[in-house]
């Protein structure tokens, strides 16, 4: 599990570097699942437990929205965490929707991304 601290531009660059690192380390590129969170966040902890069986299918990147450099994410998601993005695109919020996650992961796996 990875921890990211930075603004949205840094987040995009960091996600891209993660994808490149995955590509060089393996023939299979794992998608990046970004969790927007804060501490404490019992719903985020619960979401991570639900995601545990899928952890070999993505790289989990956590973004603490309470850090000063993440104030834009805080303003956007302060009442909605946990929020998940998959490869930089909004995926879901509040609770893990396994069917939605599975559908998007399969789509990416079929595309080879």
């Amino acid at each position: 599990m990875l921890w990211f601290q930075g603004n949205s531009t840094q987040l995009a660059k960091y996600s891209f570097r993660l994808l490149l690192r995955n590509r060089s380390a393996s023939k299979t590129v794992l998608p990046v699942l970004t969790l927007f969170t804060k501490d404490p966040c019992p719903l985020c902890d619960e979401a991570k437990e639900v995601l545990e069986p899928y952890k070999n299918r993505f790289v989990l990147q956590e973004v603490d929205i309470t850090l000063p450099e993440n104030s834009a994410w805080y303003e956007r998601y302060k009442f909605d965490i946990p929020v998940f993005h998959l490869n930089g695109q909004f995926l879901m919020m509040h609770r893990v929707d396994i069917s939605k996650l599975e559908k998007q992961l399969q789509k990416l796996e079929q595309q080879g991304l």
Side-chain angles (χ1 to χ4, degrees):
M1 196 174 315
L2 298 171
W3 188 264
F4 178 80
Q5 299 174 351
N7 64 31
S8 57
T9 303
Q10 291 171 321
L11 177 62
K13 289 178 184 176
Y14 182 76
S15 295
F16 184 70
R17 285 195 306 268
L18 280 175
L19 288 172
L20 289 179
R21 187 172 73 197
N22 281 337
R23 181 165 289 188
S24 64
S26 164
K27 297 290 183 206
T28 304
V29 176
L30 294 177
V32 177
L33 183 65
T34 305
L35 165 59
F36 294 90
T37 186
K38 66 180 180 178
D39 188 34
C41 178
L43 287 177
C44 300
D45 295 337
E46 180 183 312
K48 287 188 274 185
E49 287 179 26
V50 171
L51 292 170
E52 187 67 23
Y54 299 88
K55 69 181 181 179
N56 63 332
R57 296 177 64 192
F58 57 80
V59 174
L60 182 63
Q61 168 184 299
E62 295 185 37
V63 176
D64 183 339
I65 65 170
T66 63
L67 296 174
E69 60 268 23
N70 294 329
S71 61
W73 293 117
Y74 179 81
E75 288 305 315
R76 189 170 186 180
Y77 294 138
K78 63 185 166 189
F79 301 118
D80 291 313
I81 60 169
V83 175
F84 293 91
H85 287 194
L86 186 61
N87 283 351
Q89 298 293 317
F90 173 83
L91 181 63
M92 58 192 160
M93 66 172 59
H94 302 157
R95 301 227 182 255
V96 174
D97 181 337
I98 290 296
S99 62
K100 183 180 262 189
L101 176 64
E102 182 67 36
K103 180 180 176 183
Q104 292 303 312
L105 287 174
Q106 284 180 358
K107 186 176 175 181
L108 291 171
E109 289 164 355
Q110 288 172 354
Q111 294 173 353
L113 296 176

